[in-house]
Amino acid sequence: MENHHHDDQALRNLARAVLMPGFIGTTLPRWVAEELEAGLGSLCIYGGNIQDTGQLADLMTQIRRASPHAILALDEEGGDVTRLHYRDGSNQPGNAVLGRLDDPQLTRSSARAIAREMRSYGFNLNLAPDADVNTNAQNPVIGVRSFGISPRKVAIHTAAFTVGLQGEMVAACAKHFPGHGDTSTDSHLALPVVAVDPFTLAERELAPFKAAIQTGIAAIMTSHIMVPALDADNPATFSPAILTDLLRGELGFTGVIVTDALDMAGASAETGIPVAAVRALRAGADLLCLGTDLQRQDYEQIITAILHAVHEGTLDRQRLEEAAARNTALATHYRVQDQTCEPSELPGGDWSQAFEISDAVAPWAADPAQVQLVQVDTDSNMAVGHVPWGLSSAAETIAPQEVHPGTKVLLAARALSETHSVHALASSLRSAGHRVLVVNFGWPAAGADITTYGASPVLARAVIKMLQIRVEQKCSP
């Protein structure tokens, strides 16, 4: 009996080594601290765990005290997707702008600045870069998170970003394998299908991942998408054909395979997270991202499901040992020794060189009328969350009904579509006699005068500077 208990303990330790939960709140829950001390391999920090820099530093110190060797991760893509700057917006331009400027050294230095900031808190895994080729303009979840629509360009910048992060000893994780670019569905909400033939997939979607692997990237994240050309039955996260045969076998990847969050509808809406966790391990995943709001009982159910699967023979113990070993190797290689890391200089760039600008901009700028800034609120996708963006992240904006007669208006919006309310607002302001410019803080779409390819505050400031507008600058909190 004693032996059986000992074996269960060893198994439980293996299960702990493959899990990356999130937790609720801005302080470390007792159960998470206990699990870290007992050998929990990894934690992921989300926007909801971060109040301000002082609180984050305290939280990270607590976590590191409980476990000096855990993999501590967050999504810090730069640009629209940021966690460290969840309250004030990123100080980086983001992938689409870097792709348009097309200077790999600039991309590398943006990644280095992100890595140094992460290290200063004790993080050692960045769930970035986004290596998706944004081939579908209707894509609701990738868009400006992508370096662009050319596979070659995305490959070059994915590699440069990886080198920037890992040169500063933060592990990089290219996502969302085998490519989330050509979909018009958001996998947070449903299960997208990428209906692509094997040849196109190899030439287009897989090119950036191959470049990342050649660069020695530490980790690759799966996506909850169906790619019928590779597997007619299983989403990528649960597909041995995609993770084991293609990623490990054909592409020769030896690093850590991380799942996208298993609380997303595309992964667990039908089965629940414990079943999804076992399926992902069986397919070849090593580190299971469990999502944000985990409670102790959810976590325990996942551990129990893994132990049960090993006992009944539906999950090979050797598969679990191999996953645990890979995660431990990553944690050892990227271990955080000292957290005294000087923030590096932010890459200087004239980001406005990346913008697309219509003929209406010059006459608007030349008009001596007083400027008023208006921002139309737009829901973002769940990857971005609720981060300050656009003009209102950099300056004071007013409501449309507060616009004075005789002024010219700079109108900010993002996620433009034909039905976006900004179009009606622009035409009603124009018919009231205002000269209006529409700034689209995102991927190109009809009806915009300036397209910035991103929504972070550095891009808003570049618009304001380019148009030589004098504003009351918002101070960073």
Side-chain angles (χ1 to χ4, degrees):
M1 185 65 207
E2 186 52 43
N3 222 356
H4 185 69
H5 172 74
H6 183 74
D7 184 53
D8 254 12
Q9 213 35 58
L11 259 185
R12 179 173 280 269
N13 288 339
L14 287 175
R16 282 189 180 111
V18 302
L19 298 183
M20 180 166 69
F23 58 86
I24 300 170
T26 51
T27 53
L28 190 63
R30 180 106 178 244
W31 73 268
V32 180
E34 285 167 6
E35 283 301 300
L36 282 168
E37 283 163 13
L40 173 60
S42 180
L43 267 190
C44 190
I45 302 295
Y46 294 89
N49 303 125
I50 301 174
Q51 219 160 2
D52 55 56
T53 51
Q55 167 269 337
L56 179 60
D58 291 346
L59 174 64
M60 294 299 289
T61 303
Q62 264 186 297
I63 292 171
R64 279 274 164 236
R65 216 172 277 150
S67 172
H69 307 301
I71 298 171
L72 300 184
L74 85 174
D75 280 298
E76 195 61 37
E77 295 175 16
D80 290 26
V81 176
T82 176
R83 300 293 177 256
L84 294 178
H85 297 277
Y86 201 66
R87 302 283 168 249
D88 54 345
S90 176
N91 54 16
Q92 297 297 321
N95 285 7
V97 169
L98 292 168
R100 281 187 55 84
L101 294 172
D102 204 11
D103 173 356
Q105 267 176 302
L106 192 61
T107 298
R108 195 164 66 218
S109 61
S110 180
R112 276 187 61 177
I114 288 170
R116 291 178 75 92
E117 195 174 4
M118 288 180 63
R119 293 277 308 180
S120 71
Y121 288 104
F123 289 102
N124 57 351
L125 171 61
N126 191 358
L127 302 176
D130 191 309
D132 297 308
V133 181
N134 199 50
T135 46
N136 189 329
Q138 259 51 68
N139 195 319
V141 69
I142 306 301
V144 296
R145 298 169 65 193
S146 165
F147 288 113
I149 55 178
S150 139
R152 191 178 153 273
K153 180 184 277 189
V154 177
I156 288 167
H157 290 275
T158 294
F161 201 95
T162 299
V163 170
L165 289 177
Q166 297 191 168
E168 295 290 337
M169 292 308 287
V170 168
C173 178
K175 60 192 183 186
H176 305 83
F177 191 82
H180 205 313
D182 190 15
T183 144
S184 51
T185 314
D186 183 344
S187 50
H188 291 89
L189 311 171
L191 185 60
V193 177
V194 175
V196 60
D197 63 276
F199 177 77
T200 307
L201 188 90
E203 293 290 302
R204 188 178 72 183
E205 270 74 9
L206 297 182
F209 293 101
K210 289 176 188 162
I213 292 167
Q214 279 162 359
T215 310
I217 196 163
I220 287 179
M221 180 182 281
T222 68
S223 57
H224 311 318
I225 55 174
M226 292 295 294
V227 188
L230 299 175
D231 187 330
D233 304 313
N234 304 292
T237 302
F238 310 120
S239 167
I242 293 174
L243 302 189
T244 304
D245 305 349
L246 174 62
L247 182 52
R248 292 263 182 245
E250 277 181 59
L251 303 184
F253 178 58
T254 56
V256 170
I257 298 178
V258 184
T259 68
D260 204 347
L262 293 178
D263 63 347
M264 290 163 64
S268 59
E270 287 177 24
T271 65
I273 299 175
V275 171
V278 172
R279 281 180 75 195
L281 284 167
R282 210 164 43 212
D286 303 306
L287 187 58
L288 309 183
C289 176
L290 304 177
T292 44
D293 299 341
L294 221 69
Q295 312 259 24
R296 176 160 224 157
Q297 66 269 25
D298 308 315
Y299 172 84
E300 285 299 334
Q301 281 171 351
I302 295 164
I303 295 253
T304 304
I306 294 171
L307 300 191
H308 183 68
V310 173
H311 285 316
E312 62 173 17
T314 53
L315 174 63
D316 193 3
R317 183 186 181 122
Q318 209 181 337
R319 171 76 270 277
L320 196 56
E321 286 167 351
E322 169 195 90
R326 275 202 198 100
N327 299 341
T328 306
L330 185 147
T332 306
H333 188 270
Y334 290 95
R335 67 182 177 278
V336 176
Q337 279 135 326
D338 56 354
Q339 284 167 241
T340 53
C341 183
E342 290 304 305
S344 72
E345 284 302 293
L346 295 181
D350 177 5
W351 307 124
S352 65
Q353 288 176 351
F355 298 171
E356 267 175 31
I357 294 166
S358 80
D359 297 340
V361 173
W364 185 95
D367 186 331
Q370 188 202 341
V371 182
Q372 297 203 285
L373 309 182
V374 175
Q375 182 152 309
V376 182
D377 231 9
T378 315
D379 276 346
S380 59
N381 63 62
M382 286 163 85
V384 174
H386 301 286
V387 177
W389 65 277
L391 294 176
S392 65
S393 70
E396 296 299 335
T397 53
I398 59 170
Q401 56 274 21
E402 294 168 15
V403 173
H404 298 312
T407 53
K408 59 181 183 179
V409 180
L410 191 60
L411 191 51
R414 66 173 167 179
L416 254 62
S417 61
E418 286 169 25
T419 55
H420 197 292
S421 63
V422 74
H423 305 306
L425 178 56
S427 75
S428 79
L429 286 167
R430 284 181 185 124
S431 43
H434 298 278
R435 204 186 275 271
V436 178
L437 275 189
V438 175
V439 187
N440 169 21
F441 284 97
W443 199 255
D449 300 298
I450 299 173
T451 298
T452 61
Y453 287 84
S456 77
V458 289
L459 302 179
R461 288 196 279 273
V463 170
I464 289 166
K465 188 177 166 192
M466 176 182 83
L467 298 171
Q468 296 178 325
I469 298 168
R470 282 197 201 78
V471 294
E472 295 293 315
Q473 291 287 350
K474 273 201 171 168
C475 298
S476 288

